[in-house]
Protein backbone atom coordinates (compact mmCIF):
# COMPACT_ATOMS: atom_id res chain seq x y z
CA UNK A 1 0.00 0.00 0.00
CA UNK A 2 1.13 3.53 -0.70
CA UNK A 3 -0.14 6.69 0.97
CA UNK A 4 0.09 10.17 -0.45
CA UNK A 5 -1.47 12.34 2.23
CA UNK A 6 0.98 14.76 3.81
CA UNK A 7 1.10 15.00 7.57
CA UNK A 8 3.17 17.12 9.92
CA UNK A 9 4.08 15.21 13.07
CA UNK A 10 4.10 17.36 16.21
CA UNK A 11 6.87 17.77 18.75
CA UNK A 12 4.70 19.22 21.55
CA UNK A 13 1.29 18.49 23.05
CA UNK A 14 0.09 21.92 21.97
CA UNK A 15 0.89 21.10 18.36
CA UNK A 16 -0.77 17.69 18.72
CA UNK A 17 -3.96 19.23 20.12
CA UNK A 18 -4.09 21.68 17.23
CA UNK A 19 -3.83 18.82 14.73
CA UNK A 20 -6.58 16.87 16.47
CA UNK A 21 -8.87 19.88 16.57
CA UNK A 22 -8.32 20.44 12.86
CA UNK A 23 -8.77 16.84 11.75
CA UNK A 24 -11.74 15.93 13.95
CA UNK A 25 -14.17 17.61 11.58
CA UNK A 26 -12.96 15.51 8.63
CA UNK A 27 -13.93 12.22 10.26
CA UNK A 28 -16.89 10.46 8.62
CA UNK A 29 -19.08 8.36 10.93
CA UNK A 30 -21.48 7.06 8.30
CA UNK A 31 -20.96 3.94 6.21
CA UNK A 32 -18.72 4.39 3.20
CA UNK A 33 -17.66 0.77 2.74
CA UNK A 34 -16.65 -1.13 -0.37
CA UNK A 35 -18.80 -4.06 -1.43
CA UNK A 36 -18.28 -6.85 -0.78
CA UNK A 37 -15.98 -6.81 2.25
CA UNK A 38 -13.24 -9.31 1.35
CA UNK A 39 -10.34 -8.39 3.63
CA UNK A 40 -10.13 -7.09 7.19
CA UNK A 41 -6.95 -6.05 8.93
CA UNK A 42 -5.75 -5.55 12.47
CA UNK A 43 -2.99 -3.21 13.59
CA UNK A 44 -1.23 -3.20 16.93
CA UNK A 45 1.94 -1.90 18.54
CA UNK A 46 4.77 -3.14 20.69
CA UNK A 47 7.87 -1.38 21.94
CA UNK A 48 11.45 -2.44 22.39
CA UNK A 49 14.57 -1.08 24.07
CA UNK A 50 12.69 0.58 26.94
CA UNK A 51 10.18 2.13 24.56
CA UNK A 52 12.71 3.80 22.28
CA UNK A 53 11.88 1.53 19.32
CA UNK A 54 8.33 1.20 18.00
CA UNK A 55 7.27 -2.16 16.57
CA UNK A 56 4.11 -2.04 14.44
CA UNK A 57 2.26 -5.13 13.26
CA UNK A 58 -0.39 -5.56 10.58
CA UNK A 59 -2.39 -8.72 9.97
CA UNK A 60 -4.67 -9.00 6.92
CA UNK A 61 -7.36 -11.68 7.06
CA UNK A 62 -9.89 -12.89 4.54
CA UNK A 63 -13.52 -12.15 5.34
CA UNK A 64 -15.76 -13.75 6.47
CA UNK A 65 -13.64 -16.90 7.05
CA UNK A 66 -10.87 -14.98 8.88
CA UNK A 67 -7.86 -16.77 7.41
CA UNK A 68 -4.51 -14.99 7.56
CA UNK A 69 -3.60 -13.67 4.12
CA UNK A 70 -0.61 -11.46 4.90
CA UNK A 71 1.29 -9.95 7.81
CA UNK A 72 3.97 -7.32 8.18
CA UNK A 73 6.18 -5.75 10.83
CA UNK A 74 7.90 -2.39 10.86
CA UNK A 75 10.35 -0.79 13.27
CA UNK A 76 11.29 2.83 13.78
CA UNK A 77 12.57 5.06 16.59
CA UNK A 78 9.83 6.28 18.94
CA UNK A 79 9.61 10.05 18.67
CA UNK A 80 6.58 11.01 20.79
CA UNK A 81 6.04 10.30 24.50
CA UNK A 82 3.33 8.09 25.95
CA UNK A 83 0.44 10.41 26.83
CA UNK A 84 -3.18 9.12 27.02
CA UNK A 85 -5.25 10.77 24.30
CA UNK A 86 -2.23 11.26 22.03
CA UNK A 87 -1.25 7.69 21.19
CA UNK A 88 -1.73 8.19 17.47
CA UNK A 89 1.27 10.52 17.32
CA UNK A 90 3.40 7.90 19.05
CA UNK A 91 2.17 4.89 17.09
CA UNK A 92 0.91 5.81 13.62
CA UNK A 93 4.30 6.54 11.98
CA UNK A 94 5.37 2.92 12.49
CA UNK A 95 1.88 1.63 11.60
CA UNK A 96 2.08 3.44 8.26
CA UNK A 97 5.46 1.81 7.63
CA UNK A 98 3.93 -1.62 8.29
CA UNK A 99 0.92 -0.91 6.08
CA UNK A 100 3.16 0.15 3.23
CA UNK A 101 4.71 -3.33 3.24
CA UNK A 102 1.49 -5.20 2.55
CA UNK A 103 0.15 -5.92 -0.91
CA UNK A 104 -3.45 -6.74 0.06
CA UNK A 105 -5.45 -3.58 0.66
CA UNK A 106 -7.91 -4.20 3.53
CA UNK A 107 -11.52 -3.10 3.24
CA UNK A 108 -11.71 -2.38 7.00
CA UNK A 109 -8.93 -1.86 9.56
CA UNK A 110 -9.58 -2.69 13.21
CA UNK A 111 -7.28 -0.73 15.51
CA UNK A 112 -6.17 -1.51 19.04
CA UNK A 113 -7.40 1.79 20.43
CA UNK A 114 -10.19 4.32 20.10
CA UNK A 115 -11.89 6.04 17.22
CA UNK A 116 -14.13 8.96 18.13
CA UNK A 117 -14.32 7.76 21.76
CA UNK A 118 -11.75 10.40 22.53
CA UNK A 119 -11.78 13.84 24.21
CA UNK A 120 -11.35 15.56 20.83
CA UNK A 121 -13.05 12.77 18.85
CA UNK A 122 -9.81 11.79 17.12
CA UNK A 123 -8.35 8.62 18.57
CA UNK A 124 -5.85 6.48 16.71
CA UNK A 125 -8.48 4.67 14.62
CA UNK A 126 -9.97 7.94 13.35
CA UNK A 127 -6.56 9.50 12.78
CA UNK A 128 -5.31 6.46 10.86
CA UNK A 129 -8.50 6.22 8.83
CA UNK A 130 -8.10 9.80 7.67
CA UNK A 131 -4.47 9.27 6.68
CA UNK A 132 -5.05 6.10 4.66
CA UNK A 133 -8.63 6.92 3.56
CA UNK A 134 -9.97 3.52 4.58
CA UNK A 135 -12.79 2.47 6.91
CA UNK A 136 -11.46 1.98 10.43
CA UNK A 137 -12.87 0.79 13.75
CA UNK A 138 -11.60 1.54 17.22
CA UNK A 139 -11.44 -1.61 19.37
CA UNK A 140 -10.10 -0.58 22.77
CA UNK A 141 -9.49 -2.93 25.66
CA UNK A 142 -10.03 -0.20 28.27
CA UNK A 143 -12.20 2.90 28.58
CA UNK A 144 -10.62 6.27 27.95
CA UNK A 145 -13.72 8.29 28.83
CA UNK A 146 -17.51 8.16 28.91
CA UNK A 147 -20.22 6.49 30.97
CA UNK A 148 -22.51 3.54 30.29
CA UNK A 149 -25.26 1.48 31.87
CA UNK A 150 -24.74 -1.99 33.32
CA UNK A 151 -23.97 -4.54 30.62
CA UNK A 152 -25.40 -8.06 30.39
CA UNK A 153 -22.87 -10.90 30.53
CA UNK A 154 -23.91 -12.62 27.29
CA UNK A 155 -21.90 -12.19 24.08
CA UNK A 156 -23.37 -9.60 21.73
CA UNK A 157 -24.88 -7.36 24.39
CA UNK A 158 -23.82 -3.75 24.30
CA UNK A 159 -24.58 -0.37 25.83
CA UNK A 160 -23.98 3.11 24.41
CA UNK A 161 -20.86 4.87 25.64
CA UNK A 162 -21.87 8.46 26.43
CA UNK A 163 -19.69 11.54 26.86
CA UNK A 164 -21.08 15.04 27.30
CA UNK A 165 -24.48 13.91 26.06
CA UNK A 166 -23.10 12.34 22.89
CA UNK A 167 -22.91 8.67 21.98
CA UNK A 168 -19.23 8.19 21.19
CA UNK A 169 -19.11 4.41 21.07
CA UNK A 170 -20.40 1.16 22.50
CA UNK A 171 -19.38 -1.08 25.37
CA UNK A 172 -19.59 -4.53 23.79
CA UNK A 173 -19.53 -7.98 25.34
CA UNK A 174 -17.51 -9.83 22.73
CA UNK A 175 -17.47 -13.09 24.69
CA UNK A 176 -19.81 -14.28 27.43
CA UNK A 177 -18.48 -13.65 30.91
CA UNK A 178 -15.36 -11.68 29.97
CA UNK A 179 -14.50 -7.98 30.21
CA UNK A 180 -16.13 -5.88 27.48
CA UNK A 181 -14.49 -4.06 24.61
CA UNK A 182 -14.95 -0.37 23.82
CA UNK A 183 -15.97 0.03 20.21
CA UNK A 184 -16.13 3.31 18.32
CA UNK A 185 -16.34 4.53 14.77
CA UNK A 186 -12.93 5.31 13.38
CA UNK A 187 -13.58 6.67 9.90
CA UNK A 188 -16.08 5.88 7.11
CA UNK A 189 -18.15 3.53 9.27
CA UNK A 190 -21.17 3.91 11.55
CA UNK A 191 -21.30 2.60 15.09
CA UNK A 192 -23.92 -0.14 14.39
CA UNK A 193 -21.86 -1.39 11.44
CA UNK A 194 -18.67 -1.26 13.49
CA UNK A 195 -20.29 -3.39 16.21
CA UNK A 196 -21.50 -5.87 13.60
CA UNK A 197 -18.06 -6.33 12.05
CA UNK A 198 -16.31 -6.59 15.39
CA UNK A 199 -18.66 -9.42 16.38
CA UNK A 200 -18.24 -11.14 13.04
CA UNK A 201 -14.46 -10.96 13.51
CA UNK A 202 -14.68 -12.37 17.05
CA UNK A 203 -15.73 -16.03 16.75
CA UNK A 204 -13.97 -17.40 19.83
CA UNK A 205 -11.87 -15.05 21.94
CA UNK A 206 -12.39 -11.67 23.60
CA UNK A 207 -10.48 -9.83 20.85
CA UNK A 208 -11.29 -9.87 17.14
CA UNK A 209 -9.03 -12.24 15.21
CA UNK A 210 -7.54 -9.26 13.39
CA UNK A 211 -6.47 -7.53 16.58
CA UNK A 212 -5.51 -10.76 18.35
CA UNK A 213 -3.12 -11.84 15.60
CA UNK A 214 -1.64 -8.36 15.22
CA UNK A 215 -1.16 -8.22 18.98
CA UNK A 216 0.73 -11.52 18.92
CA UNK A 217 3.01 -10.22 16.18
CA UNK A 218 3.60 -6.89 17.89
CA UNK A 219 4.45 -8.45 21.24
CA UNK A 220 6.40 -11.51 20.10
CA UNK A 221 9.93 -11.78 21.40
Amino acid sequence: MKFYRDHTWPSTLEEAIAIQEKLRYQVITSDQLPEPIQYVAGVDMGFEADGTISRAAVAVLSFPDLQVIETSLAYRPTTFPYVPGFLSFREIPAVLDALEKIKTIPDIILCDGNGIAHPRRLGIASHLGLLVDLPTIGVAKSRLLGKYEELAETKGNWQPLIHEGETIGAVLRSRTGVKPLYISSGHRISLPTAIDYVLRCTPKYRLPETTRIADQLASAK
Side-chain angles (χ1 to χ4, degrees), residues 19-41:
I19 291 170
Q20 289 177 337
E21 290 290 357
K22 177 182 178 181
L23 293 181
R24 64 184 291 179
Y25 299 105
Q26 300 177 28
V27 173
I28 297 169
T29 55
S30 58
D31 291 329
Q32 293 189 5
L33 304 173
E35 293 185 5
I37 301 297
Q38 296 179 293
Y39 302 104
V40 290

PDB file of all heavy atoms in Angstrom, residues 19-41:
ATOM      1  N   ILE A  19      -3.593  19.754  15.832  1.00  0.00           N
ATOM      2  CA  ILE A  19      -3.831  18.822  14.733  1.00  0.00           C
ATOM      3  C   ILE A  19      -5.126  18.055  14.958  1.00  0.00           C
ATOM      4  O   ILE A  19      -5.940  17.897  14.036  1.00  0.00           O
ATOM      5  CB  ILE A  19      -2.637  17.856  14.586  1.00  0.00           C
ATOM      6  CG1 ILE A  19      -1.411  18.621  14.066  1.00  0.00           C
ATOM      7  CG2 ILE A  19      -2.978  16.705  13.641  1.00  0.00           C
ATOM      8  CD1 ILE A  19      -0.127  17.812  14.103  1.00  0.00           C
ATOM      9  N   GLN A  20      -5.346  17.594  16.180  1.00  0.00           N
ATOM     10  CA  GLN A  20      -6.583  16.865  16.473  1.00  0.00           C
ATOM     11  C   GLN A  20      -7.811  17.736  16.275  1.00  0.00           C
ATOM     12  O   GLN A  20      -8.818  17.293  15.717  1.00  0.00           O
ATOM     13  CB  GLN A  20      -6.539  16.324  17.898  1.00  0.00           C
ATOM     14  CG  GLN A  20      -5.549  15.175  18.086  1.00  0.00           C
ATOM     15  CD  GLN A  20      -5.461  14.700  19.525  1.00  0.00           C
ATOM     16  OE1 GLN A  20      -5.789  15.437  20.462  1.00  0.00           O
ATOM     17  NE2 GLN A  20      -5.010  13.477  19.720  1.00  0.00           N
ATOM     18  N   GLU A  21      -7.730  18.971  16.722  1.00  0.00           N
ATOM     19  CA  GLU A  21      -8.871  19.881  16.572  1.00  0.00           C
ATOM     20  C   GLU A  21      -9.156  20.167  15.097  1.00  0.00           C
ATOM     21  O   GLU A  21     -10.309  20.348  14.698  1.00  0.00           O
ATOM     22  CB  GLU A  21      -8.608  21.184  17.324  1.00  0.00           C
ATOM     23  CG  GLU A  21      -8.617  21.046  18.839  1.00  0.00           C
ATOM     24  CD  GLU A  21     -10.005  20.768  19.406  1.00  0.00           C
ATOM     25  OE1 GLU A  21     -10.981  20.740  18.640  1.00  0.00           O
ATOM     26  OE2 GLU A  21     -10.109  20.571  20.635  1.00  0.00           O
ATOM     27  N   LYS A  22      -8.135  20.197  14.288  1.00  0.00           N
ATOM     28  CA  LYS A  22      -8.318  20.439  12.857  1.00  0.00           C
ATOM     29  C   LYS A  22      -8.905  19.224  12.149  1.00  0.00           C
ATOM     30  O   LYS A  22      -9.835  19.342  11.340  1.00  0.00           O
ATOM     31  CB  LYS A  22      -6.978  20.822  12.224  1.00  0.00           C
ATOM     32  CG  LYS A  22      -7.044  21.026  10.715  1.00  0.00           C
ATOM     33  CD  LYS A  22      -5.674  21.351  10.148  1.00  0.00           C
ATOM     34  CE  LYS A  22      -5.726  21.498   8.626  1.00  0.00           C
ATOM     35  NZ  LYS A  22      -4.379  21.795   8.066  1.00  0.00           N
ATOM     36  N   LEU A  23      -8.385  18.033  12.473  1.00  0.00           N
ATOM     37  CA  LEU A  23      -8.772  16.836  11.746  1.00  0.00           C
ATOM     38  C   LEU A  23     -10.111  16.259  12.195  1.00  0.00           C
ATOM     39  O   LEU A  23     -10.759  15.545  11.430  1.00  0.00           O
ATOM     40  CB  LEU A  23      -7.686  15.758  11.886  1.00  0.00           C
ATOM     41  CG  LEU A  23      -6.337  16.050  11.223  1.00  0.00           C
ATOM     42  CD1 LEU A  23      -5.385  14.880  11.444  1.00  0.00           C
ATOM     43  CD2 LEU A  23      -6.503  16.325   9.733  1.00  0.00           C
ATOM     44  N   ARG A  24     -10.535  16.563  13.421  1.00  0.00           N
ATOM     45  CA  ARG A  24     -11.740  15.927  13.949  1.00  0.00           C
ATOM     46  C   ARG A  24     -12.963  16.163  13.066  1.00  0.00           C
ATOM     47  O   ARG A  24     -13.846  15.297  12.982  1.00  0.00           O
ATOM     48  CB  ARG A  24     -12.027  16.421  15.370  1.00  0.00           C
ATOM     49  CG  ARG A  24     -12.346  17.900  15.461  1.00  0.00           C
ATOM     50  CD  ARG A  24     -12.532  18.361  16.899  1.00  0.00           C
ATOM     51  NE  ARG A  24     -13.743  17.812  17.508  1.00  0.00           N
ATOM     52  CZ  ARG A  24     -14.119  18.051  18.750  1.00  0.00           C
ATOM     53  NH1 ARG A  24     -13.376  18.816  19.536  1.00  0.00           N
ATOM     54  NH2 ARG A  24     -15.232  17.533  19.236  1.00  0.00           N
ATOM     55  N   TYR A  25     -13.011  17.275  12.392  1.00  0.00           N
ATOM     56  CA  TYR A  25     -14.174  17.613  11.578  1.00  0.00           C
ATOM     57  C   TYR A  25     -14.151  16.930  10.209  1.00  0.00           C
ATOM     58  O   TYR A  25     -15.111  17.023   9.452  1.00  0.00           O
ATOM     59  CB  TYR A  25     -14.269  19.128  11.422  1.00  0.00           C
ATOM     60  CG  TYR A  25     -14.431  19.816  12.756  1.00  0.00           C
ATOM     61  CD1 TYR A  25     -13.372  20.499  13.344  1.00  0.00           C
ATOM     62  CD2 TYR A  25     -15.631  19.743  13.459  1.00  0.00           C
ATOM     63  CE1 TYR A  25     -13.507  21.117  14.580  1.00  0.00           C
ATOM     64  CE2 TYR A  25     -15.772  20.347  14.705  1.00  0.00           C
ATOM     65  CZ  TYR A  25     -14.710  21.020  15.255  1.00  0.00           C
ATOM     66  OH  TYR A  25     -14.839  21.614  16.504  1.00  0.00           O
ATOM     67  N   GLN A  26     -13.052  16.253   9.894  1.00  0.00           N
ATOM     68  CA  GLN A  26     -12.960  15.510   8.633  1.00  0.00           C
ATOM     69  C   GLN A  26     -13.383  14.053   8.786  1.00  0.00           C
ATOM     70  O   GLN A  26     -13.538  13.339   7.799  1.00  0.00           O
ATOM     71  CB  GLN A  26     -11.537  15.587   8.089  1.00  0.00           C
ATOM     72  CG  GLN A  26     -11.054  16.999   7.799  1.00  0.00           C
ATOM     73  CD  GLN A  26      -9.610  17.044   7.339  1.00  0.00           C
ATOM     74  OE1 GLN A  26      -9.093  16.098   6.758  1.00  0.00           O
ATOM     75  NE2 GLN A  26      -8.935  18.146   7.600  1.00  0.00           N
ATOM     76  N   VAL A  27     -13.566  13.610  10.015  1.00  0.00           N
ATOM     77  CA  VAL A  27     -13.934  12.216  10.265  1.00  0.00           C
ATOM     78  C   VAL A  27     -15.371  11.961   9.811  1.00  0.00           C
ATOM     79  O   VAL A  27     -16.280  12.746  10.093  1.00  0.00           O
ATOM     80  CB  VAL A  27     -13.776  11.882  11.762  1.00  0.00           C
ATOM     81  CG1 VAL A  27     -14.309  10.485  12.056  1.00  0.00           C
ATOM     82  CG2 VAL A  27     -12.322  11.994  12.177  1.00  0.00           C
ATOM     83  N   ILE A  28     -15.576  10.862   9.114  1.00  0.00           N
ATOM     84  CA  ILE A  28     -16.891  10.456   8.622  1.00  0.00           C
ATOM     85  C   ILE A  28     -17.376   9.286   9.460  1.00  0.00           C
ATOM     86  O   ILE A  28     -16.690   8.263   9.566  1.00  0.00           O
ATOM     87  CB  ILE A  28     -16.825  10.056   7.140  1.00  0.00           C
ATOM     88  CG1 ILE A  28     -16.401  11.269   6.288  1.00  0.00           C
ATOM     89  CG2 ILE A  28     -18.163   9.500   6.658  1.00  0.00           C
ATOM     90  CD1 ILE A  28     -16.046  10.907   4.860  1.00  0.00           C
ATOM     91  N   THR A  29     -18.547   9.426  10.079  1.00  0.00           N
ATOM     92  CA  THR A  29     -19.079   8.360  10.928  1.00  0.00           C
ATOM     93  C   THR A  29     -20.325   7.720  10.326  1.00  0.00           C
ATOM     94  O   THR A  29     -21.152   7.155  11.035  1.00  0.00           O
ATOM     95  CB  THR A  29     -19.385   8.880  12.343  1.00  0.00           C
ATOM     96  OG1 THR A  29     -20.276  10.001  12.243  1.00  0.00           O
ATOM     97  CG2 THR A  29     -18.112   9.303  13.056  1.00  0.00           C
ATOM     98  N   SER A  30     -20.454   7.797   9.024  1.00  0.00           N
ATOM     99  CA  SER A  30     -21.484   7.062   8.296  1.00  0.00           C
ATOM    100  C   SER A  30     -20.792   6.019   7.431  1.00  0.00           C
ATOM    101  O   SER A  30     -19.583   6.081   7.208  1.00  0.00           O
ATOM    102  CB  SER A  30     -22.330   8.001   7.429  1.00  0.00           C
ATOM    103  OG  SER A  30     -21.508   8.710   6.512  1.00  0.00           O
ATOM    104  N   ASP A  31     -21.556   5.052   6.945  1.00  0.00           N
ATOM    105  CA  ASP A  31     -20.963   3.936   6.211  1.00  0.00           C
ATOM    106  C   ASP A  31     -20.544   4.346   4.803  1.00  0.00           C
ATOM    107  O   ASP A  31     -21.379   4.749   3.985  1.00  0.00           O
ATOM    108  CB  ASP A  31     -21.952   2.772   6.135  1.00  0.00           C
ATOM    109  CG  ASP A  31     -22.188   2.128   7.487  1.00  0.00           C
ATOM    110  OD1 ASP A  31     -21.254   2.127   8.305  1.00  0.00           O
ATOM    111  OD2 ASP A  31     -23.298   1.613   7.716  1.00  0.00           O
ATOM    112  N   GLN A  32     -19.271   4.235   4.541  1.00  0.00           N
ATOM    113  CA  GLN A  32     -18.720   4.388   3.198  1.00  0.00           C
ATOM    114  C   GLN A  32     -17.784   3.205   2.970  1.00  0.00           C
ATOM    115  O   GLN A  32     -16.565   3.336   2.945  1.00  0.00           O
ATOM    116  CB  GLN A  32     -17.988   5.718   3.051  1.00  0.00           C
ATOM    117  CG  GLN A  32     -18.884   6.935   3.129  1.00  0.00           C
ATOM    118  CD  GLN A  32     -18.166   8.218   2.768  1.00  0.00           C
ATOM    119  OE1 GLN A  32     -17.010   8.227   2.370  1.00  0.00           O
ATOM    120  NE2 GLN A  32     -18.860   9.333   2.918  1.00  0.00           N
ATOM    121  N   LEU A  33     -18.401   2.030   2.828  1.00  0.00           N
ATOM    122  CA  LEU A  33     -17.663   0.775   2.745  1.00  0.00           C
ATOM    123  C   LEU A  33     -17.690   0.225   1.324  1.00  0.00           C
ATOM    124  O   LEU A  33     -18.676   0.369   0.612  1.00  0.00           O
ATOM    125  CB  LEU A  33     -18.281  -0.265   3.681  1.00  0.00           C
ATOM    126  CG  LEU A  33     -18.418   0.104   5.154  1.00  0.00           C
ATOM    127  CD1 LEU A  33     -19.195  -0.986   5.875  1.00  0.00           C
ATOM    128  CD2 LEU A  33     -17.056   0.279   5.781  1.00  0.00           C
ATOM    129  N   PRO A  34     -16.604  -0.428   0.926  1.00  0.00           N
ATOM    130  CA  PRO A  34     -16.654  -1.128  -0.366  1.00  0.00           C
ATOM    131  C   PRO A  34     -17.546  -2.354  -0.265  1.00  0.00           C
ATOM    132  O   PRO A  34     -17.820  -2.852   0.829  1.00  0.00           O
ATOM    133  CB  PRO A  34     -15.185  -1.529  -0.588  1.00  0.00           C
ATOM    134  CG  PRO A  34     -14.611  -1.624   0.785  1.00  0.00           C
ATOM    135  CD  PRO A  34     -15.315  -0.582   1.604  1.00  0.00           C
ATOM    136  N   GLU A  35     -18.000  -2.840  -1.405  1.00  0.00           N
ATOM    137  CA  GLU A  35     -18.804  -4.062  -1.430  1.00  0.00           C
ATOM    138  C   GLU A  35     -18.220  -5.013  -2.459  1.00  0.00           C
ATOM    139  O   GLU A  35     -17.902  -4.598  -3.577  1.00  0.00           O
ATOM    140  CB  GLU A  35     -20.261  -3.731  -1.785  1.00  0.00           C
ATOM    141  CG  GLU A  35     -20.981  -2.928  -0.716  1.00  0.00           C
ATOM    142  CD  GLU A  35     -22.451  -2.716  -1.055  1.00  0.00           C
ATOM    143  OE1 GLU A  35     -22.915  -3.286  -2.076  1.00  0.00           O
ATOM    144  OE2 GLU A  35     -23.137  -2.018  -0.314  1.00  0.00           O
ATOM    145  N   PRO A  36     -18.107  -6.285  -2.116  1.00  0.00           N
ATOM    146  CA  PRO A  36     -18.276  -6.851  -0.777  1.00  0.00           C
ATOM    147  C   PRO A  36     -17.024  -6.634   0.073  1.00  0.00           C
ATOM    148  O   PRO A  36     -15.962  -6.289  -0.458  1.00  0.00           O
ATOM    149  CB  PRO A  36     -18.477  -8.336  -1.065  1.00  0.00           C
ATOM    150  CG  PRO A  36     -17.616  -8.572  -2.274  1.00  0.00           C
ATOM    151  CD  PRO A  36     -17.749  -7.324  -3.114  1.00  0.00           C
ATOM    152  N   ILE A  37     -17.145  -6.842   1.374  1.00  0.00           N
ATOM    153  CA  ILE A  37     -15.976  -6.813   2.248  1.00  0.00           C
ATOM    154  C   ILE A  37     -15.239  -8.143   2.091  1.00  0.00           C
ATOM    155  O   ILE A  37     -15.781  -9.210   2.407  1.00  0.00           O
ATOM    156  CB  ILE A  37     -16.380  -6.599   3.723  1.00  0.00           C
ATOM    157  CG1 ILE A  37     -17.142  -5.289   3.885  1.00  0.00           C
ATOM    158  CG2 ILE A  37     -15.148  -6.636   4.629  1.00  0.00           C
ATOM    159  CD1 ILE A  37     -16.351  -4.052   3.538  1.00  0.00           C
ATOM    160  N   GLN A  38     -14.018  -8.093   1.604  1.00  0.00           N
ATOM    161  CA  GLN A  38     -13.237  -9.307   1.345  1.00  0.00           C
ATOM    162  C   GLN A  38     -12.053  -9.468   2.298  1.00  0.00           C
ATOM    163  O   GLN A  38     -11.632 -10.591   2.568  1.00  0.00           O
ATOM    164  CB  GLN A  38     -12.728  -9.308  -0.094  1.00  0.00           C
ATOM    165  CG  GLN A  38     -13.826  -9.355  -1.138  1.00  0.00           C
ATOM    166  CD  GLN A  38     -13.256  -9.334  -2.539  1.00  0.00           C
ATOM    167  OE1 GLN A  38     -12.677  -8.344  -2.993  1.00  0.00           O
ATOM    168  NE2 GLN A  38     -13.389 -10.452  -3.226  1.00  0.00           N
ATOM    169  N   TYR A  39     -11.526  -8.331   2.779  1.00  0.00           N
ATOM    170  CA  TYR A  39     -10.340  -8.395   3.631  1.00  0.00           C
ATOM    171  C   TYR A  39     -10.494  -7.435   4.811  1.00  0.00           C
ATOM    172  O   TYR A  39     -10.927  -6.287   4.646  1.00  0.00           O
ATOM    173  CB  TYR A  39      -9.074  -8.020   2.850  1.00  0.00           C
ATOM    174  CG  TYR A  39      -8.825  -8.898   1.654  1.00  0.00           C
ATOM    175  CD1 TYR A  39      -9.099  -8.431   0.366  1.00  0.00           C
ATOM    176  CD2 TYR A  39      -8.344 -10.196   1.804  1.00  0.00           C
ATOM    177  CE1 TYR A  39      -8.886  -9.235  -0.737  1.00  0.00           C
ATOM    178  CE2 TYR A  39      -8.129 -11.008   0.701  1.00  0.00           C
ATOM    179  CZ  TYR A  39      -8.398 -10.527  -0.569  1.00  0.00           C
ATOM    180  OH  TYR A  39      -8.205 -11.323  -1.656  1.00  0.00           O
ATOM    181  N   VAL A  40     -10.158  -7.929   5.986  1.00  0.00           N
ATOM    182  CA  VAL A  40     -10.131  -7.094   7.188  1.00  0.00           C
ATOM    183  C   VAL A  40      -8.731  -7.174   7.772  1.00  0.00           C
ATOM    184  O   VAL A  40      -8.042  -8.190   7.642  1.00  0.00           O
ATOM    185  CB  VAL A  40     -11.176  -7.563   8.224  1.00  0.00           C
ATOM    186  CG1 VAL A  40     -12.583  -7.273   7.736  1.00  0.00           C
ATOM    187  CG2 VAL A  40     -11.020  -9.042   8.539  1.00  0.00           C
ATOM    188  N   ALA A  41      -8.301  -6.096   8.384  1.00  0.00           N
ATOM    189  CA  ALA A  41      -6.948  -6.049   8.929  1.00  0.00           C
ATOM    190  C   ALA A  41      -6.963  -5.586  10.372  1.00  0.00           C
ATOM    191  O   ALA A  41      -7.851  -4.846  10.798  1.00  0.00           O
ATOM    192  CB  ALA A  41      -6.064  -5.111   8.097  1.00  0.00           C
TER     193      ALA A  41
END
